[in-house]
Amino acid sequence: MQTRTADYLHLHFIVLIWGFTAILGKLLDPLSPLAVVLYRTLLAVIGMGAVLWYGHRNGNPVAPVSSRDRWRLLGVGAIIAVHWMAFFAAARLANVSVCLAGMATSSLWASVLEPLLLRRRVRPVEVLLGAVVMGGLYLIFRFEFDKVGGLLAAILSAMLGALFTIINSQFTHRYEALVISTHEMAGAFLTSVPLVGLYSLIWGQPTDVFLPQSGAQWGWLLLLAWVCTVYAYTAGVRLLRKFSAYLAILTVNLEPVYGILLAVLIFGDTERMTTGFYLGTLVILVAVIGFPFLANKEK
């Protein structure tokens, strides 16, 4: 019981860190969301590679990854790269609060994707809560129509986040979390490189969009890569051994609560929204929090 409570609290701490990543994305402006992901994944691969090398030197070798799974993990990394790009773009197109509200739809996506990918039956309670989440989104759309672009980008990010979490829940039973994370960050970096090059070639942006221009920007990138990715992402993957993918995604839906509170504290009035926005967000969170009780009743 104590171990499970500690694991659950650990998961909430990781979600708090992930809530802070949207704030970091805004602090890194005007660096392009594509460039943010490029540097984040490059620094994360360096950090994770150093940890693996140190462990190997100290007599802690890890199980090798099969060739087939290596390509699959790199492919998951590509999904993660697009997920993060959409996430940071949402914070720029709208603001941190709208970005995190869109991310609260991840449990809705999980209720659709998990039965398809893991071939389990569709649960009526998940469909019901999905409809409630859609109602909350309608309220947000209705009152924050000028921020639709950012909300749609966040919803896309939530869908991709649910997808790679479900896939990772299968890999965690075969490989160490750090090995999984290192391969996926490498895949995300390799995906980011051509996307940044293509973006630069087509739209032609100034240097400050692609290169950090100050020590503060490098500091935020290091925090994003080594705390929010090397530590938080790897720990999150490891916890998938102890929680189901749906429960993990459900807990991540509390990210808006933590993130919006932090955003209001840091950015002040630029993050204050209409009553309709908070009402819609509350509806989504009620659906999230109510899931365990409804699921037990259904059983």
Side-chain angles (χ1 to χ4, degrees):
M1 180 65 181
Q2 289 181 349
T3 302
R4 186 166 181 80
T5 300
D7 291 333
Y8 194 71
L9 291 174
H10 190 193
L11 181 59
H12 275 272
F13 179 63
I14 292 168
V15 172
L16 174 65
I17 293 174
W18 286 338
F20 188 67
T21 59
I23 294 171
L24 288 174
K26 192 166 183 177
L27 290 171
L28 283 164
D29 193 31
L31 200 62
S32 164
L34 278 71
V36 170
V37 176
L38 176 73
Y39 291 113
R40 177 183 189 176
T41 53
L42 173 61
L43 292 170
V45 168
I46 293 171
M48 292 174 179
V51 174
L52 285 173
W53 176 80
Y54 180 80
H56 184 75
R57 282 202 60 184
N58 286 272
N60 295 309
V62 295
V65 178
S66 70
S67 177
R68 183 180 181 184
D69 282 344
R70 183 176 294 112
W71 284 108
R72 287 178 173 178
L73 288 170
L74 290 173
V76 174
I79 296 173
I80 293 170
V82 180
H83 157 73
W84 279 340
M85 289 172 186
F87 178 79
F88 290 124
R92 303 279 180 86
L93 290 170
N95 58 23
V96 174
S97 298
V98 171
C99 171
L100 293 171
M103 289 299 297
T105 63
S106 56
S107 62
L108 169 62
W109 290 113
S111 70
V112 175
L113 295 172
E114 195 171 18
L116 290 174
L117 295 175
L118 304 186
R119 293 174 183 170
R120 67 166 177 81
R121 70 179 183 86
V122 176
R123 301 176 64 183
V125 65
E126 294 178 359
V127 176
L128 172 63
L129 292 180
V132 174
V133 169
M134 292 301 293
L137 286 173
Y138 168 75
L139 289 173
I140 295 173
F141 270 116
R142 182 180 176 187
F143 291 99
E144 299 292 343
F145 196 74
D146 60 321
K147 296 180 174 63
V148 168
L151 186 59
L152 289 175
I155 292 171
L156 171 63
S157 180
M159 185 271 286
L160 295 173
L163 176 61
F164 75 71
T165 300
I166 294 167
I167 296 172
N168 276 346
S169 69
Q170 305 303 298
F171 280 118
T172 54
H173 299 290
R174 301 206 295 273
Y175 304 110
E176 290 293 328
L178 189 60
V179 173
I180 295 171
S181 301
T182 304
H183 281 80
E184 290 179 348
M185 289 305 104
F189 171 70
L190 293 173
T191 303
S192 302
V193 172
L195 289 178
V196 169
L198 185 64
Y199 181 82
S200 174
L201 183 65
I202 294 175
W203 281 282
Q205 298 291 323
T207 305
D208 61 353
V209 172
F210 299 107
L211 295 174
Q213 300 296 305
S214 66
Q217 280 191 325
W218 279 111
W220 295 131
L221 283 170
L222 288 170
L223 182 64
L224 181 63
W226 291 346
V227 176
C228 302
T229 309
V230 174
Y231 163 66
Y233 183 80
T234 302
V237 171
R238 186 177 294 115
L239 285 172
L240 286 173
R241 288 185 175 183
K242 302 181 179 182
F243 298 112
S244 70
Y246 192 87
L247 178 59
I249 292 168
L250 193 71
T251 306
V252 171
N253 276 274
L254 292 174
E255 186 178 333
V257 177
Y258 302 137
I260 290 172
L261 289 174
L262 289 171
V264 170
L265 288 173
I266 294 171
F267 298 117
D269 290 338
T270 61
E271 292 295 326
R272 299 192 190 280
M273 311 296 292
T274 63
T275 303
F277 169 83
Y278 293 112
L279 182 60
T281 303
L282 179 63
V283 169
I284 294 172
L285 293 175
V286 166
V288 170
I289 295 169
F291 171 77
F293 304 101
L294 292 175
N296 288 332
K297 190 173 182 180
E298 183 186 41
K299 290 179 181 178

